[in-house]
Amino acid sequence: MRFRHPDGSTVHLAYCTNVHPAETLDGVLAQLRDHCEPVRRRLGRDRLGIGLWLAKDAAHALVTDPSALRGLRTELDRRGLEVVTLNGFPYEGFGAEEVKYRVYKPDWADPERLEHTTALARVLAGLLPDDVTEGSISTLPLAWRSVYDVSRAEKAGTALATLAERLDALAELTGRSIRVGLEPEPGCVVETTGDAIAPLTAIAHDRIGICVDTCHLATSFEDPHTALDALAEAGIPVVKSQLSAALHAEHPHLPEVRTALAAFDEPRFLHQTRTASAAGLRGTDDLGVALRSDALPDATPWRAHFHVPLHAAPAAPLTSTLPVLKAALTRLVGGPHPLTRHLEVETYTWQALPPELRPRGRAQLADGIAAELTLARDLLTDLGLKELP
């Protein structure tokens, strides 16, 4: 979906396909047929943006076979779909029964991460629509914190500097500018937008910036305006933003609230949980740890890294951090010029919701994704953007 900003520029809205697990190119092609095109039809649009997640094997197949890349581009066009952004965070296995800490490997100190991201950039340059010259990729925020030391930090910095050089060369070769954004996430070396400033300032390259995920922003209790102002002052570009909402519990000390939270404690993904106490930000790596121990103070609200559907906040006594998303979006695209032109709804946890809230098939999932995109569209038009055909 495309929107015209009041300054005349085009803002793109997509949804991320990591909600539809697939590891191979054949799986990606099936996603387009079984999921993405049905969502587009529900929205009544001739064109729908999707943020592709390409696992290692799918990316390798595309970057090593020009005919496969052309075939994917043709299939996108045929189904009324377009790609300006990729999710380069998960490397493989995102559809496994247990993902948890595996999603953070390989990290930016491992050579596989650089090679994979380079491949994604080359693929994206070939997938961009004919009238679009800028693409974006979100990526791991360096590494999970517990495996990071000075040596690995040096390797990660070198890898990102090498990536910047490769992106420059790609732009010169293709005329397509691909930018990569570190995506701050609780528990990682770059947990907050503030944590991103030092490593990105050290690289000092306009093709390497940040991806602002509004669920992660909210989970870490960051104020959107303060965070985005700090990035702007540091000269760090917002490459893209993932529009998402976290789980919020206002009174975690109450038994009924803990019972409600326990329904979201599931085995596939990590649900890092945070509270902002008088002593500062406190957290656990997973929601279950917070619920089963006294590791997290419960006198102040809790937020958990669980991407809840944008249009359907959890039932009381829980809610979502949709207000944080709205505040961030206002700052991102509500001013005289957009801070980013790539927006992506990323709710990959539909099948991890409590059983009674999960979609019971493809049709219900498509309905839910379409409803999320409709909410995002309405937020954008309320800010003065005009939806384009």
Side-chain angles (χ1 to χ4, degrees):
M1 302 168 75
R2 297 186 183 192
F3 297 81
R4 181 74 67 208
H5 189 274
D7 75 347
S9 62
T10 299
V11 173
H12 295 265
L13 173 65
Y15 89 89
C16 186
T17 64
N18 63 355
V19 67
H20 314 303
E23 300 287 311
T24 65
L25 180 54
D26 285 344
V28 171
L29 294 171
Q31 287 176 351
L32 306 185
R33 177 193 68 226
D34 297 338
H35 299 287
C36 302
E37 186 176 8
V39 171
R40 177 183 66 76
R41 293 186 182 280
R42 279 163 171 76
L43 291 166
R45 307 299 300 162
D46 293 332
R47 173 174 54 190
L48 174 67
I50 57 172
L52 274 182
W53 171 57
L54 297 173
K56 173 194 66 172
D57 289 345
H60 180 75
L62 290 166
V63 81
T64 57
D65 185 352
S67 66
L69 184 58
R70 288 193 298 269
L72 176 57
R73 173 67 186 276
T74 298
E75 191 70 1
L76 288 166
D77 292 341
R78 187 169 77 86
R79 299 193 180 278
L81 306 169
E82 67 177 12
V83 175
V84 303
T85 189
L86 301 179
N87 185 335
F89 195 133
Y91 182 70
E92 61 183 345
F94 200 61
E97 291 186 4
E98 182 177 328
V99 178
K100 298 289 185 180
Y101 295 95
R102 290 172 53 188
V103 76
Y104 306 108
K105 299 297 289 183
D107 64 38
W108 272 101
D110 299 318
E112 295 89 348
R113 178 61 65 173
L114 172 61
E115 297 312 314
H116 177 60
T117 309
T118 301
L120 291 178
R122 292 172 59 191
V123 168
L124 182 55
L127 293 180
L128 289 178
D130 292 340
D131 61 344
V132 175
T133 59
E134 293 185 358
S136 62
I137 301 171
S138 47
T139 190
L140 178 77
L142 298 183
W144 184 256
R145 68 183 187 282
S146 61
V147 296
Y148 209 62
D149 56 22
V150 173
S151 173
R152 295 187 70 79
E154 291 176 352
K155 291 178 181 177
T158 299
L160 285 170
T162 300
L163 176 66
E165 294 172 356
R166 292 180 179 181
L167 295 176
D168 282 343
L170 183 65
E172 185 174 348
L173 178 66
T174 66
R176 304 294 179 88
S177 175
I178 308 300
R179 298 193 298 169
V180 173
L182 302 183
E183 180 186 331
E185 176 168 314
C188 292
V189 173
V190 175
E191 172 158 340
T192 66
T193 54
D195 294 335
I197 291 176
L200 291 178
T201 300
I203 297 167
H205 197 290
D206 61 5
R207 296 195 202 279
I208 309 292
I210 195 168
C211 167
V212 175
D213 183 303
T214 58
C215 169
H216 304 171
L217 191 79
T219 301
S220 295
F221 287 86
E222 289 195 81
D223 173 73
H225 295 283
T226 302
L228 293 169
D229 285 348
L231 292 174
E233 185 176 345
I236 294 171
V238 180
V239 168
K240 65 185 278 190
S241 179
Q242 289 173 325
L243 307 182
S244 53
L247 191 63
H248 181 94
E250 186 69 19
H251 302 292
H253 66 285
L254 297 177
E256 61 268 30
V257 175
R258 286 179 172 258
T259 298
L261 283 170
F264 289 84
D265 178 27
E266 54 82 38
R268 179 176 292 181
F269 302 110
L270 276 186
H271 300 296
Q272 301 94 314
T273 304
R274 299 289 185 267
T275 189
S277 68
L281 195 67
R282 297 278 300 277
T284 60
D285 284 356
D286 216 345
L287 177 57
V289 177
L291 290 170
R292 293 188 295 270
S293 70
D294 59 359
L296 204 60
D298 61 7
T300 49
W302 286 6
R303 289 177 179 173
H305 173 216
F306 194 116
H307 291 228
V308 296
L310 301 187
H311 67 292
L318 304 178
T319 187
S320 80
T321 60
L322 186 62
V324 177
L325 184 159
K326 292 179 178 178
L329 195 60
T330 298
R331 182 71 176 85
L332 286 166
V333 300
H337 303 287
L339 299 184
T340 184
R341 290 187 290 273
H342 291 178
L343 305 172
E344 178 184 63
V345 171
E346 194 211 15
T347 306
Y348 58 83
T349 43
W350 275 96
Q351 299 298 345
L353 289 166
E356 67 276 10
L357 300 179
R358 294 174 193 168
R360 293 184 175 84
R362 291 177 185 170
Q364 283 194 357
L365 178 58
D367 289 341
I369 293 170
E372 290 195 281
L373 286 165
T374 297
L375 183 146
R377 178 193 65 194
D378 291 346
L379 292 177
L380 290 172
T381 56
D382 287 347
L383 289 171
L385 282 74
K386 180 181 179 181
E387 188 176 5
L388 298 175

